[in-house]
Amino acid sequence: MFSTKDIDRHDTDILILGTGGAGMFAALHAMQSAPEGTKVTIAVKGLIGKCGCTRMVQGGYNVALGGGDSVERHFMDTIQGGKWLPNQDMAWRLCEQAVVRIRELENEIGCFFDRNADGTLHQKAFAGQTADRTVHKGDLTGIEIINRLMEQVLSRPVEKLQEHRAIGLIPTKDGSALAGVLMIDMRTGRFRFVRAKTVLMATGGGPTMYKYHTPSGDKTMDGLAMALRVGLPLRDMEMVQFHPTGLLAGDHTRMTGTVLEEGLRGAGGQLVNHSGQRFMFDYDAKGERATRDVVSRGIYAEMRKNNNPEQEGVFISMSHLGPDMVREKFKGMVKRCADCGFDLAGGLVEVVPTAHYFMGGVVVDVDTRTAMEGLYVAGEDAGGAHGSNRLGGNGVANSTVYGGIAGDVMGADIRSMDALRDPDESVLEAELVRACHPLTRKPELVLPLRKQLQDAMWDEVGVMRTKAGLKRGLDRIAEISEGLMDVGVASESLAFNLTWHDWLNLRSLCDISEVITKAALARENSRGAHYREDFPDPGAMEESYFTVARQVNGAVEVGREDVQFTIVRPGETVLPEGEPETLVAAQ
């Protein structure tokens, strides 16, 4: 249908895929660090500032700004929250540079965050942490950050390829370096190959292969699927974070699955079952302020005790804190709940664990470099910083910290790169054929297959897992993947052909769902977000390892590598002697 001769060719120096917190920070930093005259291009599947996950952040930004808190305390919370699986050098740099980045957000980007009466930044309580360190703008922090970043990027001479979908990382003929990226211009349906000296992949994660999920439906693991096909190693792929409190508003609304943020539980919100009983202290001594993985399992266990199909979730209760206070502190969530028929301030809101964040990702170093020369990865596409569980508030901090680092490093690295690289034309052709596959088949419906995948992942590869369930999951994923290859889409017009993009979305989701499931089978213990009912023991912390998945000759293989305790070992701490275990008062 198409040949490589039909592909538009385009050159740049620095190419950034994605315009969330990581991508836009990278663009701004690259403009500063690169030699004068460097061409910086950003490409995004949607519109700049109007899509992606950073915009949807409600809770806030973790940073240690004093009052007894410290980088060391933030680091220890991150390591212990990740159950000793994080790359410690990445976690330390995250915590250390968050202090720098929050000042940059305020003083250079122009963000306004909530403040105390004395003018200092207000920091609210988030679960799983030993200090109140989450900077925020009400409960709409992401919109504040992304709007200000958007203004800065739009004011700069950055080339902008909006509504351009990346579909393939194209290496050089010897496979040692990245030549560029194949894209679809969604506005015209034409293919475009962009060569670049350096490429940042910051497309975000988006575990939307689950029945209940928080990201928008266009977030479909495209970046990780591309990295898998080009042979890059992916770590911690079994680690899918379920946010404990996703709104359960029925199948008729896309609001189902969206987050009711961590600050509700941090402020004293209580979880109750259908009998009106508060239950989280039955599962953890920290109650509702335990880490997300623990609270999600507690909710899921309560859900399984209830055999009434009309009573699927549990409830979050805030009314005991005072309805007026709730309305003032959580305006965005109160309104969202009201739109769905719930009274968050004065009543009960039904919630369910919802797939929220992906701790797994491409193996990178602390400077965002990958095993392939010319390719850098930051944000949710990168693995390592969070280990087996991400603390609430560490996500947007991770994206902005490592996005800025990527921009600095790419700008410096291109100084030693003389020329653009030529692509392996055979790989370019293979990616073109892959994308055009549904255009050669009889049109059928894509959505039923996506719903089948979401049910399969929720049922078999969800909050709690077993070997038998995971094997069933693999069989169901394979059946859906095979079925998808028989589904075609109308090809009369490729401009804004959204069914074509739905097909491509589902293929990415199927590919990564297989990796998640195989990595979950390979880990026969329970750590953080990964819980095996048939292997409930976490294993010895000092013998911690992380899974590494690769695609070899078209098949996914999963191995393991030992965690390197470069800063602190299990049972030890970097906190000074005599420091209290927590600065947070008990509920």
Side-chain angles (χ1 to χ4, degrees):
M1 187 173 186
F2 288 96
S3 73
T4 55
K5 293 180 181 179
D6 298 311
I7 299 174
D8 298 329
R9 306 279 174 145
H10 189 83
D11 289 344
T12 188
D13 294 311
I14 295 175
L15 173 63
I16 296 165
L17 305 178
T19 59
M24 287 206 275
F25 249 106
L28 296 174
H29 277 242
M31 293 289 292
Q32 296 174 344
S33 64
E36 187 174 352
T38 297
K39 184 178 181 182
V40 177
T41 302
I42 55 176
V44 59
K45 195 175 180 180
L47 298 173
I48 295 172
K50 303 299 181 183
C51 62
C53 293
T54 305
R55 183 176 182 82
M56 298 173 71
V57 170
Q58 299 173 26
Y61 192 114
N62 283 349
V63 56
L65 294 176
D69 197 9
S70 64
V71 170
E72 289 80 5
R73 183 176 289 277
H74 186 186
F75 170 78
M76 287 305 302
D77 285 350
T78 299
I79 297 301
Q80 291 171 340
K83 302 299 186 285
W84 294 93
L85 294 193
N87 177 311
Q88 294 193 0
D89 295 324
M90 290 181 67
W92 178 265
R93 200 164 189 190
L94 163 63
C95 300
E96 183 182 52
Q97 289 300 307
V99 181
V100 176
R101 202 67 82 234
I102 200 72
R103 300 305 186 198
E104 185 178 352
L105 280 164
E106 280 199 294
N107 300 329
E108 298 181 36
I109 304 303
C111 292
F112 285 90
F113 300 113
D114 287 6
R115 294 187 175 273
N116 298 309
D118 63 0
T120 58
L121 284 171
H122 181 262
Q123 293 177 278
K124 63 183 175 181
F126 255 34
Q129 304 190 53
T130 62
D132 296 348
R133 64 168 64 95
T134 308
V135 172
H136 62 106
K137 175 69 179 287
D139 58 356
L140 299 170
T141 310
I143 290 177
E144 175 66 14
I145 291 173
I146 216 70
N147 282 354
R148 303 291 82 77
L149 282 171
M150 175 182 66
E151 291 167 355
Q152 294 293 335
V153 168
L154 292 178
S155 70
R156 303 290 205 281
V158 176
E159 183 181 39
K160 304 161 185 76
L161 300 178
Q162 301 191 76
E163 295 176 314
H164 275 65
R165 178 196 190 114
I167 59 171
L169 301 174
I170 310 301
T172 56
K173 195 166 185 63
D174 65 3
S176 64
L178 186 67
V181 180
L182 180 62
M183 304 182 192
I184 299 172
D185 181 345
M186 299 168 70
R187 299 166 300 181
T188 64
R190 290 191 61 82
F191 290 91
R192 173 171 288 169
F193 175 64
V194 182
R195 286 197 305 170
K197 296 176 182 177
T198 63
V199 175
L200 174 67
M201 192 172 80
T203 62
T208 58
M209 67 280 286
Y210 287 89
K211 179 180 179 181
Y212 302 113
H213 58 266
T214 67
S216 57
D218 64 335
K219 302 297 294 181
T220 51
M221 299 283 191
D222 298 328
L224 294 185
M226 291 190 296
L228 181 72
R229 292 199 300 277
V230 83
L232 287 168
L234 309 179
R235 62 169 288 171
D236 298 318
M237 291 296 285
E238 70 274 26
M239 301 301 178
V240 181
Q241 182 173 83
F242 288 84
H243 194 291
T245 49
L247 182 63
L248 189 57
D251 295 336
H252 64 282
T253 173
R254 292 189 178 182
M255 294 304 294
T256 287
T258 56
V259 164
L260 297 181
E261 59 110 332
E262 202 95 0
L264 295 178
R265 289 180 291 118
Q270 298 177 358
L271 293 168
V272 297
N273 58 26
H274 279 268
S275 299
Q277 298 170 329
R278 188 180 181 188
F279 59 83
M280 265 314 301
F281 283 100
D282 296 341
Y283 299 96
D284 193 275
K286 295 179 181 177
E288 285 85 357
R289 287 199 62 165
T291 52
R292 289 176 172 177
D293 55 316
V294 173
V295 180
S296 289
R297 285 196 296 275
I299 292 174
Y300 194 75
E302 291 295 310
M303 291 168 59
R304 293 205 297 194
K305 292 178 184 177
N306 187 1
N307 294 320
N308 187 340
E310 296 182 2
Q311 299 177 343
E312 188 170 359
V314 300
F315 298 99
I316 189 164
S317 173
M318 301 293 293
S319 59
H320 60 283
L321 301 174
D324 291 339
M325 185 280 283
V326 176
R327 293 188 189 98
E328 180 182 353
K329 279 194 170 184
F330 303 104
K331 295 176 182 177
M333 279 182 290
V334 167
K335 183 179 186 304
R336 187 180 308 113
C337 289
D339 289 343
C340 295
F342 295 106
D343 180 7
L344 178 63
L348 298 175
V349 178
E350 193 166 13
V351 295
V352 65
T354 179
H356 180 55
Y357 189 91
F358 203 61
M359 278 76 69
V362 179
V363 174
V364 297
D365 66 15
V366 294
D367 290 321
T368 72
R369 296 186 182 94
T370 70
M372 178 173 282
E373 182 185 350
L375 178 64
Y376 306 73
V377 179
E380 199 172 345
D381 280 335
H386 307 296
S388 66
N389 183 54
R390 177 179 69 80
L391 295 179
N394 268 6
V396 69
N398 177 69
S399 293
T400 55
V401 163
Y402 278 104
I405 289 170
D408 292 337
V409 172
M410 289 191 298
D413 283 358
I414 64 165
R415 295 176 183 272
S416 61
M417 298 178 180
D418 295 329
L420 293 163
R421 308 174 191 92
D422 291 327
D424 184 333
E425 293 289 336
S426 66
V427 176
L428 192 60
E429 183 177 12
E431 289 289 349
L432 184 68
V433 170
R434 180 183 182 278
C436 290
H437 177 88
L439 305 178
T440 65
R441 298 294 188 274
K442 178 183 176 182
E444 300 283 352
L445 294 176
V446 176
L447 184 59
L449 286 176
R450 182 156 179 172
K451 288 185 175 179
Q452 288 178 33
L453 179 65
Q454 290 173 334
D455 287 339
M457 292 298 287
W458 174 257
D459 294 341
E460 315 292 10
V461 201
V463 178
M464 295 186 181
R465 302 163 174 175
T466 64
K467 181 177 181 179
L470 292 168
K471 287 191 170 183
R472 286 195 302 270
L474 277 177
D475 290 341
R476 292 172 70 175
I477 294 165
E479 184 178 345
I480 294 163
S481 297
E482 291 170 9
L484 180 63
M485 300 308 289
D486 293 330
V487 170
V489 300
S491 59
E492 289 81 6
S493 173
L494 299 184
F496 284 118
N497 188 326
L498 299 185
T499 307
W500 183 24
H501 293 285
D502 286 342
W503 192 98
L504 295 170
N505 287 342
L506 184 53
R507 187 153 188 200
S508 291
L509 288 173
C510 286
D511 289 348
I512 298 304
S513 294
E514 178 189 356
V515 183
I516 292 170
T517 309
K518 287 187 173 179
L521 268 170
R523 179 175 285 281
E524 294 184 335
N525 62 28
S526 293
R527 289 285 183 98
H530 169 74
Y531 188 82
R532 288 281 297 266
E533 291 186 271
D534 46 354
F535 292 98
D537 189 84
M541 295 295 145
E542 60 272 14
E543 297 176 4
S544 296
Y545 65 87
F546 57 91
T547 60
V548 180
R550 289 181 174 87
Q551 185 167 285
V552 180
N553 297 322
V556 174
E557 297 180 358
V558 181
R560 64 171 66 173
E561 293 184 20
D562 292 336
V563 173
Q564 300 300 310
F565 302 117
T566 55
I567 297 175
V568 64
R569 299 191 65 82
E572 300 175 356
T573 182
V574 296
L575 291 176
E577 188 175 350
E579 279 287 303
E581 182 179 337
T582 182
L583 305 177
V584 178
Q587 291 187 36

